[in-house]
Structure formats: structure tokens, C-alpha cells
Amino acid sequence: MCSSARRLHASLRRDEPPTRDATTGEIRIPLALYDLDEHRGDVPLVMSRAEAEALFARLRLELITAPEPRRPEPVR
């Protein structure tokens, strides 16, 4: 199937927090897979501790340097 014909994406699963394996240090993030708005299944994103730390650092940088969302001006 052509990739342009499908719009697949993943979202965090509600009410299911990430977990850490105490032995390996792996981080598991529960994801829900969608084709547009149709739920297609669930899968964990599994990362090593180093991968999770790198992602956390990048997300933090993006959140800190992201411009504030524009708020609509009040109607006069």
C-alpha cells in the first residue's frame, strides 16, 4: 500500500504511564496506533535508558525554545 494513501500516527495511551524495567533500565511508553482517527492497535515504544534520556533532553529543549502560542486578541 502506498504510504500517501494512509495517514498513520501514534498517540500516548490514556491513563497508562510509562514504566521502567528495574533490571535493564528500559523505558516502555504505551502507544495507541491510528489510521487517521481509527484505532488500529496498541504497542509499547521501548527505549534504552540512554535513548530515553536523549529524547527527554530534546523534548525539553524544544519546549523551552518553542514560541508561546498566540492568543487571540479580544474583540472590541
Coordinates of all heavy atoms in Angstrom, one line a residue:
M1 N 0.8 -1.2 0.0 CA 0.0 0.0 0.0 C 0.9 1.2 0.0 O 1.9 1.3 0.7 CB -0.9 0.0 1.2 CG -1.8 1.2 1.3 SD -3.1 1.1 2.6 CE -4.2 0.1 1.7
C2 N 0.5 2.2 -0.8 CA 1.3 3.5 -0.9 C 1.2 4.2 0.4 O 0.1 4.4 1.0 CB 0.7 4.3 -2.0 SG 1.5 5.9 -2.2
S3 N 2.3 4.8 0.9 CA 2.3 5.5 2.2 C 1.4 6.8 2.1 O 0.9 7.2 3.2 CB 3.7 5.8 2.6 OG 4.3 6.7 1.6
S4 N 1.3 7.4 0.9 CA 0.4 8.6 0.9 C -1.0 8.2 1.0 O -1.8 9.1 1.3 CB 0.7 9.3 -0.4 OG 0.3 8.5 -1.5
A5 N -1.4 7.0 0.8 CA -2.8 6.6 1.0 C -3.2 6.4 2.4 O -4.4 6.4 2.7 CB -3.1 5.3 0.2
R6 N -2.3 6.3 3.3 CA -2.6 6.1 4.7 C -1.9 7.2 5.5 O -0.8 7.6 5.2 CB -2.1 4.7 5.2 CG -2.7 3.6 4.4 CD -2.3 2.3 5.0 NE -3.2 2.0 6.1 CZ -3.1 0.9 6.8 NH1 -2.2 0.0 6.5 NH2 -4.0 0.7 7.8
R7 N -2.6 7.6 6.6 CA -2.1 8.6 7.5 C -2.0 8.0 8.8 O -2.8 8.2 9.7 CB -2.9 9.9 7.5 CG -2.9 10.6 6.1 CD -3.6 11.9 6.2 NE -3.4 12.7 5.0 CZ -4.3 12.7 4.0 NH1 -5.4 12.0 4.1 NH2 -4.1 13.4 3.0
L8 N -0.9 7.2 9.0 CA -0.7 6.5 10.3 C 0.0 7.4 11.3 O 0.8 8.2 11.0 CB 0.1 5.3 10.1 CG -0.5 4.2 9.1 CD1 0.5 3.1 8.9 CD2 -1.8 3.7 9.6
H9 N -0.4 7.3 12.6 CA 0.2 8.0 13.6 C 0.0 7.3 15.0 O -0.8 6.4 15.0 CB -0.2 9.5 13.7 CG -1.6 9.6 14.2 ND1 -2.7 9.5 13.4 CD2 -2.1 9.9 15.5 CE1 -3.8 9.7 14.1 NE2 -3.5 9.9 15.4
A10 N 0.8 7.7 15.9 CA 0.7 7.0 17.3 C 0.5 8.1 18.3 O 1.0 9.3 18.1 CB 2.0 6.3 17.6
S11 N -0.3 7.8 19.3 CA -0.5 8.7 20.4 C -0.3 8.0 21.7 O -0.4 6.7 21.8 CB -2.0 9.2 20.4 OG -2.2 9.9 19.2
L12 N 0.0 8.7 22.8 CA 0.1 8.1 24.1 C -1.2 7.5 24.5 O -2.3 8.0 24.2 CB 0.5 9.2 25.1 CG 1.8 9.8 24.9 CD1 2.0 11.0 25.9 CD2 3.0 8.8 25.0
R13 N -1.2 6.3 25.1 CA -2.4 5.7 25.6 C -2.8 6.4 26.9 O -2.0 6.6 27.8 CB -2.2 4.2 25.8 CG -2.1 3.5 24.5 CD -2.3 2.0 24.5 NE -1.9 1.3 25.6 CZ -1.1 0.2 25.6 NH1 -0.6 -0.1 24.4 NH2 -0.8 -0.5 26.6
R14 N -4.1 6.8 27.0 CA -4.6 7.5 28.1 C -4.5 6.6 29.4 O -4.8 5.4 29.3 CB -6.0 7.9 27.9 CG -6.1 8.9 26.8 CD -7.6 9.3 26.6 NE -7.6 10.2 25.4 CZ -8.7 10.8 25.0 NH1 -9.8 10.7 25.7 NH2 -8.7 11.5 23.9
D15 N -4.2 7.3 30.5 CA -4.2 6.6 31.8 C -3.2 5.4 31.9 O -3.4 4.6 32.7 CB -5.6 6.1 32.2 CG -6.6 7.3 32.2 OD1 -6.2 8.4 32.6 OD2 -7.8 7.1 31.8
E16 N -2.2 5.4 31.0 CA -1.2 4.4 31.1 C 0.2 5.0 31.1 O 0.7 5.4 30.0 CB -1.3 3.4 29.9 CG -2.6 2.5 30.0 CD -2.6 1.4 29.0 OE1 -1.6 0.7 28.9 OE2 -3.6 1.2 28.4
P17 N 0.8 5.2 32.2 CA 2.0 6.0 32.3 C 3.2 5.1 31.8 O 3.1 3.9 31.8 CB 2.2 6.2 33.8 CG 1.5 5.1 34.5 CD 0.3 4.8 33.5
P18 N 4.3 5.7 31.4 CA 5.5 5.0 31.0 C 6.0 4.2 32.2 O 5.7 4.6 33.4 CB 6.5 6.1 30.6 CG 5.6 7.3 30.3 CD 4.4 7.2 31.2
T19 N 6.7 3.1 31.9 CA 7.2 2.3 33.0 C 8.7 2.1 32.7 O 9.2 2.2 31.6 CB 6.5 0.9 33.1 OG1 6.6 0.3 31.9 CG2 5.1 1.1 33.5
R20 N 9.5 1.7 33.8 CA 10.9 1.4 33.6 C 11.1 0.0 34.2 O 10.7 -0.3 35.2 CB 11.7 2.4 34.4 CG 13.2 2.2 34.4 CD 14.0 3.2 35.2 NE 13.7 3.2 36.6 CZ 14.2 2.4 37.5 NH1 15.1 1.5 37.1 NH2 13.8 2.4 38.7
D21 N 11.9 -0.7 33.4 CA 12.3 -2.1 33.9 C 13.5 -1.9 34.8 O 14.5 -1.3 34.5 CB 12.7 -2.9 32.7 CG 13.1 -4.3 33.1 OD1 14.1 -4.5 33.9 OD2 12.4 -5.3 32.6
A22 N 13.3 -2.3 36.1 CA 14.4 -2.1 37.1 C 15.6 -2.8 36.8 O 16.7 -2.4 37.2 CB 13.8 -2.5 38.5
T23 N 15.6 -3.9 36.1 CA 16.8 -4.7 35.8 C 17.6 -4.1 34.6 O 18.8 -3.9 34.7 CB 16.4 -6.2 35.5 OG1 15.6 -6.7 36.6 CG2 17.6 -7.0 35.3
T24 N 16.9 -3.9 33.5 CA 17.5 -3.4 32.3 C 17.6 -1.9 32.1 O 18.4 -1.4 31.3 CB 16.8 -4.0 31.0 OG1 15.5 -3.4 30.9 CG2 16.7 -5.5 31.1
G25 N 16.7 -1.2 32.8 CA 16.6 0.2 32.7 C 15.8 0.7 31.5 O 15.7 1.9 31.2
E26 N 15.3 -0.3 30.7 CA 14.5 0.1 29.6 C 13.2 0.9 30.0 O 12.6 0.6 31.0 CB 14.0 -1.2 28.8 CG 15.0 -1.9 28.0 CD 14.5 -3.1 27.3 OE1 13.5 -3.7 27.8 OE2 15.1 -3.5 26.3
I27 N 12.9 1.8 29.1 CA 11.7 2.6 29.3 C 10.6 2.1 28.3 O 10.9 2.0 27.1 CB 11.9 4.1 29.1 CG1 13.1 4.6 30.0 CG2 10.7 4.9 29.3 CD1 12.8 4.5 31.5
R28 N 9.4 1.9 28.8 CA 8.3 1.5 27.9 C 7.2 2.5 28.0 O 6.7 2.8 29.0 CB 7.8 0.1 28.3 CG 8.8 -1.0 28.2 CD 8.2 -2.4 28.6 NE 9.2 -3.4 28.4 CZ 9.3 -4.1 27.3 NH1 8.5 -3.9 26.3 NH2 10.3 -5.0 27.1
I29 N 6.9 3.0 26.8 CA 5.8 4.0 26.7 C 4.7 3.4 25.9 O 4.8 3.1 24.7 CB 6.4 5.3 26.0 CG1 7.6 5.8 26.7 CG2 5.3 6.3 25.8 CD1 8.3 6.9 26.0
P30 N 3.5 3.3 26.5 CA 2.4 2.7 25.9 C 1.8 3.6 24.8 O 1.5 4.8 25.0 CB 1.3 2.5 27.0 CG 2.0 2.7 28.2 CD 3.2 3.6 27.9
L31 N 1.7 3.1 23.5 CA 1.2 3.9 22.4 C 0.0 3.3 21.8 O -0.1 2.0 21.8 CB 2.3 4.0 21.3 CG 3.6 4.8 21.7 CD1 4.5 4.7 20.5 CD2 3.3 6.2 22.2
A32 N -0.9 4.1 21.3 CA -2.1 3.6 20.5 C -1.8 4.0 19.1 O -1.4 5.1 18.8 CB -3.3 4.3 21.0
L33 N -2.0 3.1 18.1 CA -1.8 3.3 16.7 C -3.1 3.7 16.0 O -4.1 3.0 16.2 CB -1.1 2.1 16.1 CG 0.2 1.6 16.7 CD1 0.7 0.3 16.1 CD2 1.2 2.7 16.6
Y34 N -3.0 4.7 15.2 CA -4.2 5.1 14.5 C -4.0 5.3 13.0 O -2.9 5.6 12.5 CB -4.7 6.5 15.0 CG -5.2 6.4 16.4 CD1 -4.4 6.6 17.5 CD2 -6.5 6.2 16.7 CE1 -4.8 6.6 18.8 CE2 -7.0 6.1 18.0 CZ -6.2 6.3 19.0 OH -6.6 6.3 20.3
D35 N -5.0 5.0 12.2 CA -5.1 5.4 10.8 C -6.1 6.5 10.7 O -7.3 6.2 10.9 CB -5.5 4.1 9.9 CG -5.5 4.4 8.5 OD1 -5.3 5.6 8.0 OD2 -5.8 3.4 7.7
L36 N -5.7 7.7 10.6 CA -6.5 8.9 10.8 C -7.1 8.8 12.2 O -6.3 8.8 13.1 CB -7.6 9.0 9.7 CG -7.1 9.5 8.3 CD1 -8.2 9.5 7.3 CD2 -6.4 10.8 8.4
D37 N -8.4 8.7 12.3 CA -9.0 8.6 13.7 C -9.4 7.2 14.0 O -10.1 7.0 15.1 CB -10.1 9.5 13.8 CG -9.7 11.0 13.8 OD1 -8.6 11.3 14.2 OD2 -10.5 11.8 13.3
E38 N -9.1 6.2 13.2 CA -9.5 4.8 13.5 C -8.4 4.1 14.3 O -7.2 3.9 13.8 CB -9.8 4.1 12.2 CG -10.4 2.7 12.4 CD -10.8 2.1 11.1 OE1 -11.0 2.8 10.1 OE2 -10.8 0.8 11.1
H39 N -8.7 3.6 15.5 CA -7.7 2.9 16.3 C -7.3 1.6 15.6 O -8.2 0.8 15.2 CB -8.3 2.6 17.7 CG -7.4 2.0 18.6 ND1 -7.5 0.7 19.0 CD2 -6.3 2.4 19.3 CE1 -6.5 0.3 19.8 NE2 -5.8 1.4 20.0
R40 N -6.0 1.3 15.5 CA -5.6 0.1 14.8 C -4.9 -0.8 15.7 O -4.5 -1.9 15.3 CB -4.6 0.5 13.6 CG -5.3 1.2 12.5 CD -6.2 0.3 11.9 NE -6.7 0.9 10.6 CZ -7.5 0.2 9.8 NH1 -7.9 -1.0 10.1 NH2 -7.9 0.8 8.7
G41 N -4.6 -0.4 16.9 CA -3.9 -1.3 17.8 C -3.0 -0.6 18.8 O -2.9 0.6 18.8
D42 N -2.4 -1.3 19.7 CA -1.6 -0.8 20.8 C -0.2 -1.4 20.7 O -0.1 -2.6 20.3 CB -2.2 -1.0 22.1 CG -3.5 -0.4 22.3 OD1 -3.7 0.8 21.9 OD2 -4.4 -1.0 22.9
V43 N 0.8 -0.7 21.0 CA 2.2 -1.2 21.0 C 3.0 -0.3 22.0 O 2.8 0.9 22.1 CB 2.8 -1.1 19.6 CG1 2.9 0.3 19.1 CG2 4.1 -1.8 19.5
P44 N 4.0 -0.9 22.7 CA 4.8 -0.1 23.5 C 6.0 0.4 22.7 O 6.6 -0.3 21.9 CB 5.3 -1.1 24.6 CG 5.3 -2.4 24.0 CD 4.2 -2.4 23.0
L45 N 6.4 1.6 23.0 CA 7.7 2.2 22.5 C 8.7 1.8 23.5 O 8.6 2.2 24.7 CB 7.6 3.7 22.3 CG 8.9 4.4 22.0 CD1 9.6 3.8 20.7 CD2 8.7 5.9 21.9
V46 N 9.7 1.0 23.2 CA 10.7 0.5 24.1 C 12.0 1.2 23.8 O 12.5 1.1 22.7 CB 10.9 -1.0 24.0 CG1 11.9 -1.5 25.1 CG2 9.5 -1.7 24.3
M47 N 12.6 1.9 24.8 CA 13.8 2.6 24.6 C 14.8 2.2 25.7 O 14.4 2.0 26.8 CB 13.6 4.1 24.7 CG 12.8 4.7 23.5 SD 12.6 6.4 23.7 CE 11.4 6.6 25.0
S48 N 16.1 2.3 25.3 CA 17.1 2.1 26.4 C 17.1 3.3 27.2 O 16.5 4.4 26.9 CB 18.5 1.9 25.7 OG 18.9 3.1 25.1
R49 N 17.7 3.3 28.4 CA 17.8 4.4 29.2 C 18.5 5.6 28.5 O 18.1 6.7 28.6 CB 18.6 4.1 30.5 CG 18.7 5.3 31.5 CD 19.5 4.9 32.7 NE 19.6 6.1 33.5 CZ 18.9 6.4 34.6 NH1 18.0 5.5 35.0 NH2 19.1 7.5 35.3
A50 N 19.6 5.3 27.8 CA 20.3 6.4 27.0 C 19.4 7.0 26.0 O 19.4 8.2 25.8 CB 21.5 5.8 26.4
E51 N 18.6 6.2 25.3 CA 17.7 6.7 24.3 C 16.6 7.6 24.9 O 16.3 8.7 24.4 CB 17.0 5.6 23.5 CG 17.9 4.8 22.6 CD 17.3 3.6 22.0 OE1 16.5 2.9 22.7 OE2 17.6 3.3 20.9
A52 N 16.1 7.1 26.0 CA 15.1 7.9 26.8 C 15.6 9.2 27.3 O 15.0 10.3 27.2 CB 14.5 7.1 27.9
E53 N 16.9 9.2 27.8 CA 17.5 10.4 28.3 C 17.7 11.4 27.1 O 17.5 12.6 27.2 CB 18.8 10.1 29.0 CG 18.6 9.5 30.3 CD 19.9 9.0 30.9 OE1 21.0 9.0 30.2 OE2 19.9 8.7 32.1
A54 N 18.1 10.9 26.0 CA 18.4 11.8 24.8 C 17.0 12.4 24.3 O 17.0 13.6 24.0 CB 19.0 11.0 23.7
L55 N 16.0 11.6 24.3 CA 14.7 12.1 23.9 C 14.2 13.1 24.9 O 13.7 14.2 24.5 CB 13.7 10.9 23.8 CG 12.2 11.3 23.4 CD1 12.2 12.1 22.1 CD2 11.3 10.1 23.4
F56 N 14.3 12.9 26.1 CA 13.9 13.8 27.2 C 14.6 15.1 27.0 O 14.0 16.2 27.1 CB 14.2 13.2 28.6 CG 13.9 14.2 29.7 CD1 12.5 14.4 30.0 CD2 14.9 14.8 30.4 CE1 12.2 15.3 31.1 CE2 14.6 15.7 31.4 CZ 13.3 16.0 31.7
A57 N 15.9 15.1 26.8 CA 16.7 16.3 26.6 C 16.2 17.1 25.4 O 16.1 18.3 25.4 CB 18.2 16.0 26.5
R58 N 16.0 16.4 24.3 CA 15.5 17.1 23.1 C 14.1 17.6 23.3 O 13.8 18.8 22.8 CB 15.5 16.1 21.9 CG 15.1 16.7 20.6 CD 16.1 17.8 20.2 NE 15.5 18.5 19.1 CZ 16.3 19.2 18.2 NH1 17.6 19.1 18.3 NH2 15.7 19.8 17.3
L59 N 13.2 16.9 23.9 CA 11.9 17.4 24.1 C 11.9 18.7 25.0 O 11.2 19.7 24.8 CB 11.0 16.4 24.8 CG 10.5 15.2 23.9 CD1 9.9 14.1 24.7 CD2 9.6 15.7 22.8
R60 N 12.8 18.6 26.0 CA 12.9 19.7 27.0 C 13.4 21.0 26.2 O 12.9 22.1 26.4 CB 13.8 19.4 28.1 CG 13.9 20.4 29.1 CD 14.7 19.9 30.3 NE 14.9 21.1 31.1 CZ 15.3 21.1 32.3 NH1 15.7 20.0 32.9 NH2 15.5 22.2 33.0
L61 N 14.4 20.8 25.3 CA 14.9 21.9 24.5 C 13.8 22.4 23.6 O 13.7 23.7 23.5 CB 16.1 21.4 23.7 CG 16.7 22.4 22.8 CD1 17.4 23.5 23.6 CD2 17.7 21.7 21.9
E62 N 13.1 21.6 23.0 CA 12.0 22.0 22.1 C 10.9 22.8 22.9 O 10.4 23.8 22.4 CB 11.4 20.9 21.4 CG 12.3 20.2 20.4 CD 12.7 21.1 19.2 OE1 11.9 22.0 18.8 OE2 13.8 21.0 18.7
L63 N 10.6 22.3 24.1 CA 9.6 23.0 24.9 C 10.1 24.4 25.4 O 9.3 25.3 25.5 CB 9.1 22.1 26.0 CG 8.3 20.9 25.6 CD1 8.2 20.0 26.8 CD2 7.0 21.3 25.1
I64 N 11.3 24.4 25.8 CA 11.9 25.7 26.3 C 12.0 26.7 25.2 O 11.7 27.9 25.4 CB 13.2 25.4 26.9 CG1 13.0 24.7 28.2 CG2 14.0 26.8 27.2 CD1 14.3 24.2 28.9
T65 N 12.4 26.3 24.0 CA 12.7 27.3 22.9 C 11.5 27.5 22.0 O 11.5 28.3 21.1 CB 13.9 26.8 22.0 OG1 13.6 25.5 21.5 CG2 15.2 26.7 22.9
A66 N 10.4 26.8 22.2 CA 9.2 26.9 21.4 C 8.6 28.3 21.7 O 8.5 28.7 22.8 CB 8.2 25.8 21.7
P67 N 8.1 29.0 20.6 CA 7.4 30.2 20.9 C 6.1 30.0 21.6 O 5.5 28.9 21.5 CB 7.2 30.8 19.5 CG 7.3 29.6 18.6 CD 8.2 28.6 19.3
E68 N 5.7 30.9 22.4 CA 4.4 30.9 23.1 C 3.3 30.9 22.1 O 3.4 31.6 21.1 CB 4.3 32.1 24.0 CG 5.1 32.0 25.3 CD 4.7 30.9 26.2 OE1 3.5 30.7 26.4 OE2 5.6 30.2 26.8
P69 N 2.3 30.1 22.3 CA 1.2 30.1 21.3 C 0.5 31.5 21.3 O 0.4 32.1 22.4 CB 0.2 29.0 21.9 CG 0.8 28.4 23.0 CD 2.1 29.2 23.4
R70 N 0.1 31.9 20.1 CA -0.6 33.2 20.0 C -1.9 33.1 20.6 O -2.7 32.2 20.3 CB -0.7 33.6 18.6 CG 0.6 34.1 18.0 CD 0.4 34.7 16.7 NE -0.3 35.9 16.7 CZ -0.6 36.7 15.7 NH1 -0.3 36.3 14.5 NH2 -1.2 37.8 15.9
R71 N -2.3 34.1 21.4 CA -3.6 34.1 22.0 C -4.4 35.1 21.1 O -3.9 36.2 20.8 CB -3.6 34.6 23.4 CG -2.9 33.5 24.3 CD -3.2 33.8 25.7 NE -2.6 32.7 26.5 CZ -1.7 32.8 27.4 NH1 -1.1 34.0 27.6 NH2 -1.2 31.7 28.0
P72 N -5.7 34.8 20.8 CA -6.5 35.7 20.0 C -6.7 37.0 20.8 O -6.8 37.1 22.0 CB -7.8 35.0 19.8 CG -7.8 33.8 20.7 CD -6.4 33.6 21.2
E73 N -6.6 38.1 20.0 CA -6.9 39.4 20.7 C -8.3 39.5 21.0 O -9.2 39.0 20.3 CB -6.4 40.5 19.7 CG -4.9 40.5 19.5 CD -4.5 41.7 18.7 OE1 -5.2 42.7 18.6 OE2 -3.5 41.6 18.1
P74 N -8.7 40.2 22.1 CA -10.1 40.4 22.5 C -10.8 41.2 21.4 O -10.3 42.1 20.8 CB -10.1 41.1 23.8 CG -8.6 41.5 24.0 CD -7.8 40.8 23.0
V75 N -12.0 40.8 21.2 CA -12.9 41.6 20.3 C -13.3 42.9 20.9 O -13.7 42.9 22.1 CB -14.2 40.7 19.9 CG1 -15.1 41.5 19.0 CG2 -13.7 39.4 19.3
R76 N -13.2 43.9 20.1 CA -13.5 45.3 20.7 C -14.9 45.7 20.2 O -15.3 45.5 19.2 CB -12.5 46.3 20.3 CG -11.2 46.0 20.9 CD -10.1 47.0 20.5 NE -8.9 46.4 21.0 CZ -7.7 46.9 20.6 NH1 -7.7 48.0 19.8 NH2 -6.6 46.4 21.1

